[in-house]
């Protein structure tokens, strides 16, 4: 049963933010264009669509992350409810992990809109790093445990943004935050993939609140793929490893 | 923090089903192509990508469905955890509603692979309808409470499939199931959107198990968009309506 | 399969916070005593157990709340996955609704531990109401849309606390917050059930962080009961009511 | 805010299956008695309450199970949403793991109600084991990877049932299934904790559908306790172990 059958289906229900689903979107606009429409309330330009598509692709899967492990463990216990395994994996997309996109997007938006007219980006970045440092806060989107000169996902995203003339002030600012933080802390703190996407959320014209949503959309693709994959990590071994430790 | 920072990030973790995420996918392949890759284990042809993209777009949002209502109600109680509101909405993508895509995809795959060589599709359909009828089962993907001559989403999907030479035996069979069921029950039972997508899951070369996953992916887009939408149904009124009834 | 079969089961795994599950707890301690043990790290006194039990009972079910509606809608879409319907209902136990227990428990703990020695509770309450009012904040646990002279659940909990000599400073303080807020705003703002439980979380010796957990435990009982109940609100009608409205 | 404030609160909303929450239940009936009432639609006898309480205690926590690991990993990613971590852990309470209680309860109910009057329990068990064996099915609730002569949780539950005169035909039958299966397969297949609880669901007069619900209720207690526990397994190490493996 299609779920629209649970009630009458007014014509308006097949309209997505003012565009007719069947006639104007299906087969006319790509999945990422329609996703942009649904999140922003308007269709993207060609440049926005290109950058937005790469942002979503960048987030699909980053190896055996906590979310993938959670989904696999959940499917092990409840093998007949794929939706439960995906939902469980998404529940970890919160403040600490992928959700930091939202925090980075908010920070950059906030810094730029609060800055006095004509303020130099270098000064804005310097002040933000100093303030965070004084309060013992870590800047979202800056620093990576593994990458020390470049997060290749961030580098690629910035190239795509440049090719589409969308490497504006938010991209500049996040790079300066990285440079300023690296200087202050005396060690390389790169713009990581969530910092790059946080900047680009703003560049492509989405509200910062959309940041966490992007992570949820891409990770759903990632988790569904992992759950359908017949290979992959043997869950029983992961469990046995955890159980071999004293449990409290 | 990017979640890959919780452990070392071997180069292999930025490889998606054999393709380098940064160099071969981001900015090179579209979101729906990479989604197909992650679900099927191989990249789609141009035709497969076109049809697959339309399938995902078709499922994003169908009005004020149960899933949307669940997400909105959940966000009302826990406004600072977008991931929880999306996860709650996905948990209803089960056997009865969008999950019927999986059942339709399985049924069509099963009927065609079990049929003797050279069997006419009409006969296969006729026998399947008869068997379902005898056991009091409803065929997944067939019939709609509102649409009586055509589900416009199904019609559009079949057109796109035809334009891409992907309207093969599964599309033919689901149409014949609709005709045969309509005759037997003496009332119009159209191929609905989940029936059409169930057929096309097979036509584009995905395993039937991917059916429910497609619903989860598209609905995540739909739910995120609904949750970011500042307008929309006033939840307090929905609750009041439910509470006005005797509660048991 | 019992899930302990997925790995070796060391004897220590049947020990709950230092107490042998089989020999010291099952049939010896009640469900609420063992719950207290698991949350507090120690067994309750007789008085603590009596009050704690009533707190959990008080929260089980409050009619057709948002959580119940979410669970019912989810079960409608995915009828074969009870765990998904319960999980969906719990996801709305967040900052705004039942989660306010945690906020009330924290506020009371914070006010009492920050107050100078010998400070009068009246003055602490007065200052807290003034500070909240100045910042436009609402005090958690205070005020109810329906109850104007007494929330009967709060009244009963305070009586039970008194009978067990556990109506100490946290109970006094939450009552004074109610009185002070009522005076300032010129309308009755009662201690509601979450305010009462927030106070009692402290009185029975639990950390304030346990507040949201209590809500989750009791609501799981409530949701499971509602889902097993063959009567109850007809979900199709609720959906139809929501769908009858313009959806954006 | 208390969630009943989102709408008017009719007096009937504080009635649980015909019993006034405030006057007849809080402080009068224990948590497990009210839980029984909410699941069964009637209050338990003293004997039923004693056995039911022990069943719930038995299921709270069995060490570092998959559910606990899932909850801990989820809290790691989304530390400010306890409800999400608990919900994720519950989503694995499905067909394979704790959900097998439901399957065991159903099997025993089905075998006894389908048996001809006067049939010997031995014969019913023998036939059921033979049928399962012929179809390659495993009997739910029978066998344990670690326990070979007795699952101590099952043993204790049966003792408590006996002390309360509730060790009737369902308990006898599950024991005979264990004996018959052990003989047929030539190795010890004990009644495990889910088999024992499956039998006792019937003995205490609950419908078999309540089986999975019991697991959800007890595990919510278990997961909340684990999440509040400041000690416990270091999640970063578990993740690192999983990530050290080739991820596909």
């Amino acid at each position: 049963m299609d779920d629209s059958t649970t009630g009458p289906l007014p014509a308006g229900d097949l309209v997505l933010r003012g565009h007719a689903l069947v006639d104007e979107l299906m087969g006319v606009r790509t999945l990422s264009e329609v996703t942009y429409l649904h999140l922003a309330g308007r269709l993207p330009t060609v440049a926005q669509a290109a950058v937005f598509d790469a942002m979503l692709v960048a987030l699909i899967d980053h190896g055996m992350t906590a979310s993938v492990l959670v989904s696999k463990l959940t499917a092990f216990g409840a093998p007949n409810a794929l939706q439960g395994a995906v939902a469980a994996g998404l529940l970890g997309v919160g403040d600490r992990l992928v959700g930091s996109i939202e925090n980075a997007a908010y920070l950059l938006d906030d810094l730029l809109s609060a800055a006095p007219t004509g303020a130099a980006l270098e000064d804005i970045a310097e002040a933000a790093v100093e303030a965070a440092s004084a309060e013992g806060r870590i800047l979202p989107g800056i620093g990576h445990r593994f990458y020390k000169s470049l997060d290749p996902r961030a580098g690629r995203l910035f190239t795509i943004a440049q090719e589409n003339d969308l490497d504006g002030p938010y991209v500049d600012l996040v790079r300066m935050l990285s440079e300023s933080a690296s200087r202050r802390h005396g060690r390389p703190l790169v713009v990581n993939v969530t910092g790059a996407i946080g900047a680009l959320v703003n560049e492509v014209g989405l509200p910062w609140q959309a940041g966490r949503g992007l992570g949820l959309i891409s990770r759903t693709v990632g988790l569904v793929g992992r759950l359908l994959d017949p290979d992959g990590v043997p869950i029983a071994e992961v469990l046995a490893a955890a159980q071999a430790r004293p449990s409290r």
Side-chain angles (χ1 to χ4, degrees), chain A residues 25 27-36 49 53:
Chain A
L25 300 177
V28 180
R29 300 290 181 173
T30 66
L31 174 62
S32 43
E33 287 174 311
V34 182
T35 298
Y36 184 101
D53 193 279

Side-chain angles (χ1 to χ4, degrees), chain A residues 65 70 82 177 185:
Chain A
T65 53
V70 161
L82 183 69
L177 287 174
H185 296 284

Side-chain angles (χ1 to χ4, degrees), chain A residues 105-179:
Chain A
Y106 173 77
L107 174 70
L108 297 168
D109 179 46
D110 187 51
L111 289 176
L112 277 186
S113 49
T117 325
L121 291 180
E122 286 88 344
D123 299 338
I124 299 173
E126 203 66 41
V129 167
E130 195 174 311
S133 189
E135 299 169 25
R137 279 187 293 108
I138 289 174
L139 289 174
I142 304 296
H144 197 279
R145 177 160 149 189
F146 187 73
Y147 297 123
K148 295 307 172 193
S149 62
L150 177 77
D151 181 332
R153 299 161 296 184
R156 180 82 181 108
L157 283 169
F158 287 154
T159 301
I160 294 167
Q162 189 185 19
E163 291 166 0
N164 286 280
D165 272 330
L166 282 172
D167 55 337
Y170 301 96
V171 169
D172 289 344
L173 182 55
V174 78
R175 281 173 157 153
M176 284 172 198
L177 287 174
S178 156
E179 285 168 26

